[in-house]
Structures are given as C-alpha cells and as structure tokens.
Amino acid sequence: MFKTEIPSYKLFINGEEMITQETTKVLNKYTQEAAAEIAVANKEHVDQAVASAKAALDVEFSSYERYEVLMKTADLLKQKRDMFAEALAKEVGKPLKESYGEVDRSVQTLLLSAEEAKRIHGEGVPVEAAPGSENRMAFTLKVPVGVIAAITPFNVPLNLVCHKVGPALAAGNSVVLKPAEQTSIVAILLTQLFREAGLPKGRLNLVTGSGRKIGDWLLENKDVNMFTFTGSQGVGEYIRSKAGLRKVALELGNNSATVIHHDADLELAASLVAARGFNNAGQVCISVQRVYVHKDIEEKFLALVKEKTEALQLGDPFDDNTDVGPMIHEKEAIRVEEWVKEAVEQGAELVTGGKREGALMEPTILNNVKPSMKVSCQEVFGPVISISSYNNIDEMIERVNDSNYGLQAGIFTNDLKLAMKAAKKIEVGGLIVNDTSAYRVDQMPYGGVKASGNGKEGPKYAVEEMTEERIIVLNL
Ligand code: NAD
C-alpha cells in the first residue's frame, strides 16, 4: 500500500513563503504518524522576519483596513472550520468536538480584535488646570509598540495565536509569530488566511522550529519591541530575564483551585468539574486541578463526580464518542502516571482512573490529597483532579491561596456573602462563581498574578498592552 503524502509547510516572511534547508515533522498525536513536514528557521530567517516586520510599520495600514482584514480572516476561518478542526484533532490529539469549539472561539477572538481596531483612542488631559498652563491643551494618542514577537504553547494552538496576532494587528503593530513546534500546523494555516484576507506584507511573519533557538535569536534582536508569551513558567522567566527594558506580557501556568461549598448545587458542580477537569486531557492552564470540598458534602460530591468521570470515553480524537484524547507526548503521560502513583504512596486515595496506555492517560480522581503532593502543589497539566476537604471558610481561602500561581479559581456556592469574600480574598486574575476555574470566553480580561504571569489578554485588554500612550501638548 502507498503511504499518503503529508503536506509540507514553509516559513512566511515579508509576504512570501520561504523554504529552509532543515525541516521537522509534526506528528498525529494519536497514531504517532507524521501529519506534516514543517520548515525549521535559522538565525538569518529570524532576522529577516524581524526586519520585514519593522519595515512594514512604515507602510500606512489604517484602523479601518485593519478592521477589514481581521473581519475577512474571521470569515475565512469560519468557512474552513472543518479543515482547522481536523488539523487540531490531529496535531494536538484534542477530541474533534472540542477542536470545533476551539475554532469557533478563534473566530470570536478575531471578530473581537477587528472591533477593537476601530475603538483605539486616547483622552483629553486637562493640563490647562495647572497654574501657568492656562493657554495649553493636551490629549493622548495610543500608538503601536512596533514589532511584537508572539510565542505560543502547544495546547490551544489556534485560539492562543489569535489572542496575540489579532490584538497586535488591530493595534497597528507588526508580528513575528513563533508557534509551538509540536502543534505548528494551525498557526501556519491561519497565516495563509491572513494573507488571503489581504494583510499587507510584513505585518505577520511566521518562523517555525526550535523554541529555544528562535527564542534566543528573537531576544538578541533589538528591533523586537515587545514579547508576548504564553507557556511554562521557566521559559517565561527566561524571556523576562533576557528582554531587558522591553515590554513583556507573560501568560503562564496554574494549579487551579475550585471550591465546592456545602450550599452548592452539587449536580451542577460535579458535572462541570468532570467536564472541565479533563478537557484537552487536562492540558489547559485553568484546568480544574485542586478541588476543595466542604466536609459535610464530601461523600455525596465524590460519588457524583466519580460517576460522571467514569462516563467519559478515552480514545481516538476522531471518534465522535471520545471525550478525552491522548496527551501531547507519551513522556508527559508517564510523568502524570508517576505523580499519581507517588500521591497514592504518600496516602492519597485513588477514586478512579490512574492507568495509562501510551500517551492515553485515564481521567483520574484522587481524594485526601495533601498540599505537599506534586499533584497539588505543582501544575499537573494532565487529566488528574486532586480533591481534599475543608472545615471552614477561612481555612479554605488560606489553602486556595497556598500556591505559587494565581490565574483563575472557581467557587460553587449560593451564599452571596461568601462569594464576595472569596472575590476579595482569593489571589487570582479571575474568580468564577458557580462554575469552575476553567471558564473562559474571549472578551474577558485574562491573565494571572504571582507565578501565573503578568499582563492581560482578551482583545480589548491586549490592545492596551500592545500600545503606548503618548501625550500631545499644544501651546496655544
Ligand atoms: P513551553 O513553555 O514549553 O513552550 C511555549 C512556547 O515557548 C513554545 O512555542 C516553545 O517553542 C517556546 N520556547 C521554548 N523554549 C523557549 C525559549 N528558551 N525561549 C523562547 N521560547 C521558547 O510551554 P508548553 O509546554 O507549550 O505549554 C504548556 C504551558 O503553557 C503550561 O505551563 C500552561 O499552563 C501554559 N499555558 C498558559 C496559558 C495562559 O493563558 N496563562 C495558556 C495556555 C498554556
């Protein structure tokens, strides 16, 4: 039998595709067969990409033109929904039904970015109120920061690219995009849509290949004005340490907490915890990881969440019945399996799951988890939920906050006073009441505190990060 040929993708620099001597393969994460061959950029390519991004800034690209290109790209993405969902299911291993969800959200992110392109404005500043400035007037302009290097992770490789490229272009910047090497296909396909939508050359450049090498070449290039990075804490800290005085926005990890108080709707809480804890095999930065359950309802909640978790199907992302697909790599699944075993050795109870086959890790629930266990104090980034019980509210808040991270948290309660106390006391970028930590829609301000990073995403908020405020004073 003949092997079907896999697509081969090039770099995209200054409006042109560019071949490279070196290439690498992106694998289908379920079959482990090659899904595509992609170009590997060298230093020269990266410097060319930055130079082209810089030169593009000198060519007029009005707010309305930016709006139109982003709208058109959103429309093209909608039309090619099937192609993108299938590419996601292949390269991430994300179940097809969830992959469609990511494509639909990406369309929203591009639409929101398009709308923002028409809303960027400064404000009047009453300098005339200062003694001696009676004859002056002032206002601010929001100007683009310039060339933005956008570096994105493997787990949400389409929507997180849209969250960087959409607002950056809306705000009048140029972009050099470096997607995750394991999941570059959808970013490449999206770049093609921007080109088809009429994006002026140089405004979006794509360099694929090694994160460490391309990262260093981008960091060494002083024509890059800003880094916007989503990924792991270690790489985020590295970028910050090398970026010098340039702007840096970091969207990093979390070991997200969700609280189930005794007055909660337990059916709702258990359904959402089981659904959101295992989305994308738990490889989501706000995935439900630490679950704190009030001791009075512990048994009932455990039974419900166990039943709902055991109903989830593990397997082939292309099977319509599959809820949980493979992890990104077998070595990651092995790591998660080891963390689960270690927690059990240290006294945690295995409620369900725990077994692994290749990169497929069963949806797993642990109970009686102690704060010192890796499944609690580190980011699992796999399909594991760690439950423990609490006696009173202050103890619960203290335990939720006992984390290096602070991206989002969830609390199920019908007690308004408790919800508002939690809103004030829990140290996170976002608190979700009567849903889990994992709730997100794309217009929200999204970004963490502590080791979860700094700077906000959500097109309106990202535009703020990606513009500078310049004051103009008139001496009349
Ligand atoms: P990662 O840090 O390994 O890689 C992210 C990106 O950085 C990739 O494109 C990679 O090639 C690149 N990279 C690697 N080394 C680099 C270097 N030295 N310099 C510059 N770039 C480099 O992360 P990952 O495994 O792809 O993603 C998982 C992590 O991302 C988790 O920690 C998760 O919580 C986090 N994440 C955060 C958010 C958020 O919005 N806060 C969203 C999704 C994922």
PDB file of all heavy atoms in Angstrom, residues 151-155 160 178-181 211-212 215 229-232 235 238-239 251-254 285 379 381 407 446, ligand 1:
ATOM      1  N   ILE A 151       4.995  34.291  21.040  1.00  0.00           N
ATOM      2  CA  ILE A 151       5.443  32.901  21.218  1.00  0.00           C
ATOM      3  C   ILE A 151       4.328  32.145  21.928  1.00  0.00           C
ATOM      4  O   ILE A 151       3.862  32.564  22.998  1.00  0.00           O
ATOM      5  CB  ILE A 151       6.757  32.858  22.038  1.00  0.00           C
ATOM      6  CG1 ILE A 151       7.825  33.721  21.349  1.00  0.00           C
ATOM      7  CG2 ILE A 151       7.247  31.421  22.209  1.00  0.00           C
ATOM      8  CD1 ILE A 151       9.134  33.848  22.115  1.00  0.00           C
ATOM      9  N   THR A 152       3.876  31.036  21.325  1.00  0.00           N
ATOM     10  CA  THR A 152       2.642  30.387  21.804  1.00  0.00           C
ATOM     11  C   THR A 152       2.863  28.902  22.155  1.00  0.00           C
ATOM     12  O   THR A 152       3.766  28.260  21.623  1.00  0.00           O
ATOM     13  CB  THR A 152       1.545  30.504  20.722  1.00  0.00           C
ATOM     14  OG1 THR A 152       2.076  30.024  19.494  1.00  0.00           O
ATOM     15  CG2 THR A 152       1.093  31.938  20.556  1.00  0.00           C
ATOM     16  N   PRO A 153       2.005  28.353  23.038  1.00  0.00           N
ATOM     17  CA  PRO A 153       2.177  26.978  23.524  1.00  0.00           C
ATOM     18  C   PRO A 153       1.421  25.951  22.674  1.00  0.00           C
ATOM     19  O   PRO A 153       0.661  26.321  21.780  1.00  0.00           O
ATOM     20  CB  PRO A 153       1.571  27.052  24.916  1.00  0.00           C
ATOM     21  CG  PRO A 153       0.436  28.009  24.765  1.00  0.00           C
ATOM     22  CD  PRO A 153       0.868  29.014  23.724  1.00  0.00           C
ATOM     23  N   PHE A 154       1.609  24.674  23.025  1.00  0.00           N
ATOM     24  CA  PHE A 154       1.049  23.596  22.199  1.00  0.00           C
ATOM     25  C   PHE A 154      -0.440  23.350  22.419  1.00  0.00           C
ATOM     26  O   PHE A 154      -1.114  22.781  21.571  1.00  0.00           O
ATOM     27  CB  PHE A 154       1.826  22.285  22.438  1.00  0.00           C
ATOM     28  CG  PHE A 154       1.461  21.586  23.735  1.00  0.00           C
ATOM     29  CD1 PHE A 154       0.323  20.791  23.819  1.00  0.00           C
ATOM     30  CD2 PHE A 154       2.248  21.720  24.862  1.00  0.00           C
ATOM     31  CE1 PHE A 154      -0.029  20.152  25.004  1.00  0.00           C
ATOM     32  CE2 PHE A 154       1.908  21.095  26.054  1.00  0.00           C
ATOM     33  CZ  PHE A 154       0.767  20.312  26.122  1.00  0.00           C
ATOM     34  N   ASN A 155      -0.976  23.741  23.583  1.00  0.00           N
ATOM     35  CA  ASN A 155      -2.265  23.161  23.984  1.00  0.00           C
ATOM     36  C   ASN A 155      -3.500  23.795  23.348  1.00  0.00           C
ATOM     37  O   ASN A 155      -4.507  23.125  23.189  1.00  0.00           O
ATOM     38  CB  ASN A 155      -2.383  23.172  25.522  1.00  0.00           C
ATOM     39  CG  ASN A 155      -2.342  24.559  26.108  1.00  0.00           C
ATOM     40  OD1 ASN A 155      -1.701  25.455  25.568  1.00  0.00           O
ATOM     41  ND2 ASN A 155      -3.020  24.750  27.203  1.00  0.00           N
ATOM     42  N   LEU A 160      -4.959  30.671  20.934  1.00  0.00           N
ATOM     43  CA  LEU A 160      -3.955  31.495  21.620  1.00  0.00           C
ATOM     44  C   LEU A 160      -3.103  32.280  20.624  1.00  0.00           C
ATOM     45  O   LEU A 160      -2.606  33.357  20.941  1.00  0.00           O
ATOM     46  CB  LEU A 160      -3.098  30.641  22.563  1.00  0.00           C
ATOM     47  CG  LEU A 160      -3.885  30.075  23.752  1.00  0.00           C
ATOM     48  CD1 LEU A 160      -2.983  29.263  24.665  1.00  0.00           C
ATOM     49  CD2 LEU A 160      -4.579  31.176  24.559  1.00  0.00           C
ATOM     50  N   LYS A 178       5.974  32.775  16.551  1.00  0.00           N
ATOM     51  CA  LYS A 178       6.703  31.515  16.741  1.00  0.00           C
ATOM     52  C   LYS A 178       5.787  30.548  17.481  1.00  0.00           C
ATOM     53  O   LYS A 178       5.683  30.587  18.711  1.00  0.00           O
ATOM     54  CB  LYS A 178       7.947  31.803  17.577  1.00  0.00           C
ATOM     55  CG  LYS A 178       9.133  30.888  17.413  1.00  0.00           C
ATOM     56  CD  LYS A 178       8.874  29.416  17.401  1.00  0.00           C
ATOM     57  CE  LYS A 178       8.945  28.807  18.777  1.00  0.00           C
ATOM     58  NZ  LYS A 178       8.357  27.471  18.848  1.00  0.00           N
ATOM     59  N   PRO A 179       5.075  29.683  16.740  1.00  0.00           N
ATOM     60  CA  PRO A 179       4.177  28.737  17.418  1.00  0.00           C
ATOM     61  C   PRO A 179       4.950  27.552  18.012  1.00  0.00           C
ATOM     62  O   PRO A 179       6.112  27.340  17.678  1.00  0.00           O
ATOM     63  CB  PRO A 179       3.266  28.272  16.277  1.00  0.00           C
ATOM     64  CG  PRO A 179       4.088  28.408  15.042  1.00  0.00           C
ATOM     65  CD  PRO A 179       5.077  29.520  15.270  1.00  0.00           C
ATOM     66  N   ALA A 180       4.267  26.780  18.861  1.00  0.00           N
ATOM     67  CA  ALA A 180       4.897  25.600  19.473  1.00  0.00           C
ATOM     68  C   ALA A 180       5.261  24.588  18.388  1.00  0.00           C
ATOM     69  O   ALA A 180       4.481  24.353  17.464  1.00  0.00           O
ATOM     70  CB  ALA A 180       3.933  24.962  20.470  1.00  0.00           C
ATOM     71  N   GLU A 181       6.431  23.979  18.519  1.00  0.00           N
ATOM     72  CA  GLU A 181       6.894  23.073  17.454  1.00  0.00           C
ATOM     73  C   GLU A 181       6.024  21.820  17.323  1.00  0.00           C
ATOM     74  O   GLU A 181       5.872  21.290  16.226  1.00  0.00           O
ATOM     75  CB  GLU A 181       8.388  22.715  17.584  1.00  0.00           C
ATOM     76  CG  GLU A 181       8.895  22.333  18.958  1.00  0.00           C
ATOM     77  CD  GLU A 181       9.393  23.531  19.771  1.00  0.00           C
ATOM     78  OE1 GLU A 181       8.589  24.462  20.009  1.00  0.00           O
ATOM     79  OE2 GLU A 181      10.558  23.517  20.207  1.00  0.00           O
ATOM     80  N   GLY A 211      12.020  26.214  19.778  1.00  0.00           N
ATOM     81  CA  GLY A 211      11.650  27.329  20.651  1.00  0.00           C
ATOM     82  C   GLY A 211      12.866  27.981  21.289  1.00  0.00           C
ATOM     83  O   GLY A 211      12.970  29.209  21.320  1.00  0.00           O
ATOM     84  N   ARG A 212      13.770  27.152  21.775  1.00  0.00           N
ATOM     85  CA  ARG A 212      14.933  27.706  22.498  1.00  0.00           C
ATOM     86  C   ARG A 212      15.782  28.562  21.556  1.00  0.00           C
ATOM     87  O   ARG A 212      16.145  29.691  21.866  1.00  0.00           O
ATOM     88  CB  ARG A 212      15.750  26.557  23.089  1.00  0.00           C
ATOM     89  CG  ARG A 212      16.772  26.985  24.114  1.00  0.00           C
ATOM     90  CD  ARG A 212      17.501  25.776  24.693  1.00  0.00           C
ATOM     91  NE  ARG A 212      17.906  24.810  23.673  1.00  0.00           N
ATOM     92  CZ  ARG A 212      18.948  24.968  22.851  1.00  0.00           C
ATOM     93  NH1 ARG A 212      19.701  26.034  22.927  1.00  0.00           N
ATOM     94  NH2 ARG A 212      19.232  24.048  21.934  1.00  0.00           N
ATOM     95  N   GLY A 215      13.772  31.552  20.106  1.00  0.00           N
ATOM     96  CA  GLY A 215      13.573  32.452  21.243  1.00  0.00           C
ATOM     97  C   GLY A 215      14.816  33.297  21.475  1.00  0.00           C
ATOM     98  O   GLY A 215      14.734  34.530  21.611  1.00  0.00           O
ATOM     99  N   PHE A 229       4.190  36.232  25.437  1.00  0.00           N
ATOM    100  CA  PHE A 229       4.499  34.799  25.570  1.00  0.00           C
ATOM    101  C   PHE A 229       3.407  34.092  26.348  1.00  0.00           C
ATOM    102  O   PHE A 229       2.965  34.570  27.403  1.00  0.00           O
ATOM    103  CB  PHE A 229       5.834  34.648  26.316  1.00  0.00           C
ATOM    104  CG  PHE A 229       6.145  33.224  26.705  1.00  0.00           C
ATOM    105  CD1 PHE A 229       6.623  32.322  25.767  1.00  0.00           C
ATOM    106  CD2 PHE A 229       5.945  32.773  28.013  1.00  0.00           C
ATOM    107  CE1 PHE A 229       6.892  31.002  26.103  1.00  0.00           C
ATOM    108  CE2 PHE A 229       6.212  31.452  28.364  1.00  0.00           C
ATOM    109  CZ  PHE A 229       6.694  30.565  27.408  1.00  0.00           C
ATOM    110  N   THR A 230       2.967  32.934  25.853  1.00  0.00           N
ATOM    111  CA  THR A 230       2.127  32.040  26.649  1.00  0.00           C
ATOM    112  C   THR A 230       2.829  30.701  26.705  1.00  0.00           C
ATOM    113  O   THR A 230       3.213  30.153  25.653  1.00  0.00           O
ATOM    114  CB  THR A 230       0.723  31.882  26.035  1.00  0.00           C
ATOM    115  OG1 THR A 230       0.115  33.175  25.970  1.00  0.00           O
ATOM    116  CG2 THR A 230      -0.161  30.987  26.878  1.00  0.00           C
ATOM    117  N   GLY A 231       3.016  30.182  27.904  1.00  0.00           N
ATOM    118  CA  GLY A 231       3.707  28.900  28.047  1.00  0.00           C
ATOM    119  C   GLY A 231       4.101  28.662  29.485  1.00  0.00           C
ATOM    120  O   GLY A 231       3.440  29.162  30.414  1.00  0.00           O
ATOM    121  N   SER A 232       5.178  27.916  29.676  1.00  0.00           N
ATOM    122  CA  SER A 232       5.544  27.479  31.025  1.00  0.00           C
ATOM    123  C   SER A 232       6.274  28.587  31.794  1.00  0.00           C
ATOM    124  O   SER A 232       6.870  29.498  31.207  1.00  0.00           O
ATOM    125  CB  SER A 232       6.408  26.230  30.936  1.00  0.00           C
ATOM    126  OG  SER A 232       7.543  26.513  30.155  1.00  0.00           O
ATOM    127  N   VAL A 235      10.201  29.120  31.011  1.00  0.00           N
ATOM    128  CA  VAL A 235      10.515  29.858  29.778  1.00  0.00           C
ATOM    129  C   VAL A 235      10.093  31.323  29.932  1.00  0.00           C
ATOM    130  O   VAL A 235      10.808  32.236  29.500  1.00  0.00           O
ATOM    131  CB  VAL A 235       9.844  29.200  28.546  1.00  0.00           C
ATOM    132  CG1 VAL A 235      10.117  30.017  27.295  1.00  0.00           C
ATOM    133  CG2 VAL A 235      10.353  27.772  28.351  1.00  0.00           C
ATOM    134  N   TYR A 238      12.710  33.100  31.794  1.00  0.00           N
ATOM    135  CA  TYR A 238      13.897  33.247  30.952  1.00  0.00           C
ATOM    136  C   TYR A 238      13.726  34.450  30.011  1.00  0.00           C
ATOM    137  O   TYR A 238      14.617  35.292  29.878  1.00  0.00           O
ATOM    138  CB  TYR A 238      14.114  31.959  30.157  1.00  0.00           C
ATOM    139  CG  TYR A 238      15.294  32.009  29.219  1.00  0.00           C
ATOM    140  CD1 TYR A 238      16.595  31.890  29.701  1.00  0.00           C
ATOM    141  CD2 TYR A 238      15.110  32.211  27.855  1.00  0.00           C
ATOM    142  CE1 TYR A 238      17.681  31.953  28.848  1.00  0.00           C
ATOM    143  CE2 TYR A 238      16.186  32.268  26.981  1.00  0.00           C
ATOM    144  CZ  TYR A 238      17.476  32.134  27.488  1.00  0.00           C
ATOM    145  OH  TYR A 238      18.548  32.208  26.638  1.00  0.00           O
ATOM    146  N   ILE A 239      12.545  34.523  29.371  1.00  0.00           N
ATOM    147  CA  ILE A 239      12.290  35.631  28.432  1.00  0.00           C
ATOM    148  C   ILE A 239      12.371  36.964  29.165  1.00  0.00           C
ATOM    149  O   ILE A 239      13.017  37.905  28.708  1.00  0.00           O
ATOM    150  CB  ILE A 239      10.920  35.437  27.734  1.00  0.00           C
ATOM    151  CG1 ILE A 239      11.012  34.247  26.765  1.00  0.00           C
ATOM    152  CG2 ILE A 239      10.478  36.702  26.993  1.00  0.00           C
ATOM    153  CD1 ILE A 239       9.715  33.833  26.125  1.00  0.00           C
ATOM    154  N   GLU A 251       1.765  34.930  29.974  1.00  0.00           N
ATOM    155  CA  GLU A 251       0.592  34.132  30.376  1.00  0.00           C
ATOM    156  C   GLU A 251       1.125  32.742  30.699  1.00  0.00           C
ATOM    157  O   GLU A 251       1.430  31.967  29.797  1.00  0.00           O
ATOM    158  CB  GLU A 251      -0.417  34.047  29.223  1.00  0.00           C
ATOM    159  CG  GLU A 251      -0.904  35.387  28.702  1.00  0.00           C
ATOM    160  CD  GLU A 251      -1.812  36.122  29.681  1.00  0.00           C
ATOM    161  OE1 GLU A 251      -2.364  35.475  30.591  1.00  0.00           O
ATOM    162  OE2 GLU A 251      -1.934  37.342  29.540  1.00  0.00           O
ATOM    163  N   LEU A 252       1.251  32.433  31.994  1.00  0.00           N
ATOM    164  CA  LEU A 252       1.946  31.197  32.397  1.00  0.00           C
ATOM    165  C   LEU A 252       0.977  30.194  33.035  1.00  0.00           C
ATOM    166  O   LEU A 252      -0.215  30.256  32.822  1.00  0.00           O
ATOM    167  CB  LEU A 252       3.107  31.567  33.327  1.00  0.00           C
ATOM    168  CG  LEU A 252       4.014  32.707  32.809  1.00  0.00           C
ATOM    169  CD1 LEU A 252       5.084  33.060  33.811  1.00  0.00           C
ATOM    170  CD2 LEU A 252       4.637  32.347  31.461  1.00  0.00           C
ATOM    171  N   GLY A 253       1.506  29.290  33.825  1.00  0.00           N
ATOM    172  CA  GLY A 253       0.719  28.151  34.307  1.00  0.00           C
ATOM    173  C   GLY A 253      -0.122  28.429  35.540  1.00  0.00           C
ATOM    174  O   GLY A 253      -0.245  29.557  36.006  1.00  0.00           O
ATOM    175  N   ASN A 254      -0.684  27.355  36.059  1.00  0.00           N
ATOM    176  CA  ASN A 254      -1.528  27.447  37.246  1.00  0.00           C
ATOM    177  C   ASN A 254      -1.795  26.038  37.771  1.00  0.00           C
ATOM    178  O   ASN A 254      -1.782  25.078  36.999  1.00  0.00           O
ATOM    179  CB  ASN A 254      -2.866  28.105  36.901  1.00  0.00           C
ATOM    180  CG  ASN A 254      -3.584  28.684  38.110  1.00  0.00           C
ATOM    181  OD1 ASN A 254      -2.938  29.081  39.075  1.00  0.00           O
ATOM    182  ND2 ASN A 254      -4.890  28.739  38.070  1.00  0.00           N
ATOM    183  N   CYS A 285      -4.430  25.632  30.901  1.00  0.00           N
ATOM    184  CA  CYS A 285      -3.784  26.357  32.007  1.00  0.00           C
ATOM    185  C   CYS A 285      -4.735  26.622  33.170  1.00  0.00           C
ATOM    186  O   CYS A 285      -4.279  26.851  34.285  1.00  0.00           O
ATOM    187  CB  CYS A 285      -3.177  27.656  31.495  1.00  0.00           C
ATOM    188  SG  CYS A 285      -4.349  28.565  30.510  1.00  0.00           S
ATOM    189  N   GLU A 379       1.924  22.245  38.799  1.00  0.00           N
ATOM    190  CA  GLU A 379       0.926  22.205  37.728  1.00  0.00           C
ATOM    191  C   GLU A 379       0.951  20.811  37.103  1.00  0.00           C
ATOM    192  O   GLU A 379       1.970  20.406  36.533  1.00  0.00           O
ATOM    193  CB  GLU A 379       1.259  23.267  36.678  1.00  0.00           C
ATOM    194  CG  GLU A 379       0.266  23.296  35.537  1.00  0.00           C
ATOM    195  CD  GLU A 379       0.604  24.339  34.477  1.00  0.00           C
ATOM    196  OE1 GLU A 379       1.786  24.510  34.139  1.00  0.00           O
ATOM    197  OE2 GLU A 379      -0.349  24.964  33.965  1.00  0.00           O
ATOM    198  N   PHE A 381      -0.987  19.574  34.533  1.00  0.00           N
ATOM    199  CA  PHE A 381      -1.133  19.659  33.078  1.00  0.00           C
ATOM    200  C   PHE A 381      -1.415  18.282  32.486  1.00  0.00           C
ATOM    201  O   PHE A 381      -0.813  17.845  31.508  1.00  0.00           O
ATOM    202  CB  PHE A 381       0.106  20.291  32.437  1.00  0.00           C
ATOM    203  CG  PHE A 381      -0.255  21.300  31.378  1.00  0.00           C
ATOM    204  CD1 PHE A 381      -1.038  22.387  31.686  1.00  0.00           C
ATOM    205  CD2 PHE A 381       0.167  21.146  30.054  1.00  0.00           C
ATOM    206  CE1 PHE A 381      -1.409  23.316  30.716  1.00  0.00           C
ATOM    207  CE2 PHE A 381      -0.193  22.066  29.079  1.00  0.00           C
ATOM    208  CZ  PHE A 381      -0.975  23.145  29.419  1.00  0.00           C
ATOM    209  N   LEU A 407      -3.920  32.210  38.555  1.00  0.00           N
ATOM    210  CA  LEU A 407      -4.534  32.585  37.278  1.00  0.00           C
ATOM    211  C   LEU A 407      -6.050  32.743  37.447  1.00  0.00           C
ATOM    212  O   LEU A 407      -6.569  33.843  37.378  1.00  0.00           O
ATOM    213  CB  LEU A 407      -4.177  31.541  36.217  1.00  0.00           C
ATOM    214  CG  LEU A 407      -4.569  31.812  34.773  1.00  0.00           C
ATOM    215  CD1 LEU A 407      -4.138  33.181  34.301  1.00  0.00           C
ATOM    216  CD2 LEU A 407      -3.983  30.739  33.851  1.00  0.00           C
ATOM    217  N   TYR A 446      -7.979  38.384  30.802  1.00  0.00           N
ATOM    218  CA  TYR A 446      -7.488  37.072  31.193  1.00  0.00           C
ATOM    219  C   TYR A 446      -5.986  37.148  31.435  1.00  0.00           C
ATOM    220  O   TYR A 446      -5.222  37.527  30.549  1.00  0.00           O
ATOM    221  CB  TYR A 446      -7.783  36.085  30.059  1.00  0.00           C
ATOM    222  CG  TYR A 446      -7.402  34.660  30.355  1.00  0.00           C
ATOM    223  CD1 TYR A 446      -8.208  33.864  31.159  1.00  0.00           C
ATOM    224  CD2 TYR A 446      -6.234  34.121  29.847  1.00  0.00           C
ATOM    225  CE1 TYR A 446      -7.861  32.563  31.437  1.00  0.00           C
ATOM    226  CE2 TYR A 446      -5.885  32.813  30.121  1.00  0.00           C
ATOM    227  CZ  TYR A 446      -6.701  32.036  30.914  1.00  0.00           C
ATOM    228  OH  TYR A 446      -6.359  30.737  31.187  1.00  0.00           O
TER     229      TYR A 446
HETATM  230  P1  NAD B   1       6.583  25.847  26.812  1.00  0.00           P
HETATM  231  O1  NAD B   1       6.999  26.928  27.746  1.00  0.00           O
HETATM  232  O2  NAD B   1       7.387  24.609  26.761  1.00  0.00           O
HETATM  233  O3  NAD B   1       6.557  26.386  25.306  1.00  0.00           O
HETATM  234  C1  NAD B   1       5.810  27.525  24.941  1.00  0.00           C
HETATM  235  C2  NAD B   1       6.449  28.181  23.723  1.00  0.00           C
HETATM  236  O4  NAD B   1       7.742  28.661  24.088  1.00  0.00           O
HETATM  237  C3  NAD B   1       6.668  27.224  22.550  1.00  0.00           C
HETATM  238  O5  NAD B   1       6.425  27.922  21.343  1.00  0.00           O
HETATM  239  C4  NAD B   1       8.139  26.883  22.669  1.00  0.00           C
HETATM  240  O6  NAD B   1       8.699  26.517  21.433  1.00  0.00           O
HETATM  241  C5  NAD B   1       8.716  28.206  23.146  1.00  0.00           C
HETATM  242  N1  NAD B   1      10.009  28.127  23.830  1.00  0.00           N
HETATM  243  C6  NAD B   1      10.582  27.062  24.426  1.00  0.00           C
HETATM  244  N2  NAD B   1      11.788  27.422  24.941  1.00  0.00           N
HETATM  245  C7  NAD B   1      11.950  28.739  24.682  1.00  0.00           C
HETATM  246  C8  NAD B   1      12.973  29.697  24.983  1.00  0.00           C
HETATM  247  N3  NAD B   1      14.076  29.355  25.645  1.00  0.00           N
HETATM  248  N4  NAD B   1      12.802  30.966  24.589  1.00  0.00           N
HETATM  249  C9  NAD B   1      11.678  31.339  23.928  1.00  0.00           C
HETATM  250  N5  NAD B   1      10.684  30.485  23.603  1.00  0.00           N
HETATM  251  C10 NAD B   1      10.815  29.200  23.987  1.00  0.00           C
HETATM  252  O7  NAD B   1       5.048  25.546  27.145  1.00  0.00           O
HETATM  253  P2  NAD B   1       4.104  24.416  26.529  1.00  0.00           P
HETATM  254  O8  NAD B   1       4.525  23.088  27.065  1.00  0.00           O
HETATM  255  O9  NAD B   1       3.970  24.593  25.066  1.00  0.00           O
HETATM  256  O10 NAD B   1       2.709  24.853  27.183  1.00  0.00           O
HETATM  257  C11 NAD B   1       2.323  24.483  28.458  1.00  0.00           C
HETATM  258  C12 NAD B   1       2.423  25.623  29.434  1.00  0.00           C
HETATM  259  O11 NAD B   1       1.736  26.761  28.933  1.00  0.00           O
HETATM  260  C13 NAD B   1       1.745  25.302  30.752  1.00  0.00           C
HETATM  261  O12 NAD B   1       2.537  25.739  31.806  1.00  0.00           O
HETATM  262  C14 NAD B   1       0.448  26.090  30.676  1.00  0.00           C
HETATM  263  O13 NAD B   1      -0.127  26.405  31.908  1.00  0.00           O
HETATM  264  C15 NAD B   1       0.881  27.293  29.942  1.00  0.00           C
HETATM  265  N6  NAD B   1      -0.273  27.968  29.346  1.00  0.00           N
HETATM  266  C16 NAD B   1      -0.687  29.148  29.870  1.00  0.00           C
HETATM  267  C17 NAD B   1      -1.798  29.797  29.349  1.00  0.00           C
HETATM  268  C18 NAD B   1      -2.267  31.116  29.874  1.00  0.00           C
HETATM  269  O14 NAD B   1      -3.019  31.795  29.169  1.00  0.00           O
HETATM  270  N7  NAD B   1      -1.882  31.521  31.060  1.00  0.00           N
HETATM  271  C19 NAD B   1      -2.485  29.221  28.283  1.00  0.00           C
HETATM  272  C20 NAD B   1      -2.036  28.001  27.771  1.00  0.00           C
HETATM  273  C21 NAD B   1      -0.920  27.389  28.308  1.00  0.00           C
END
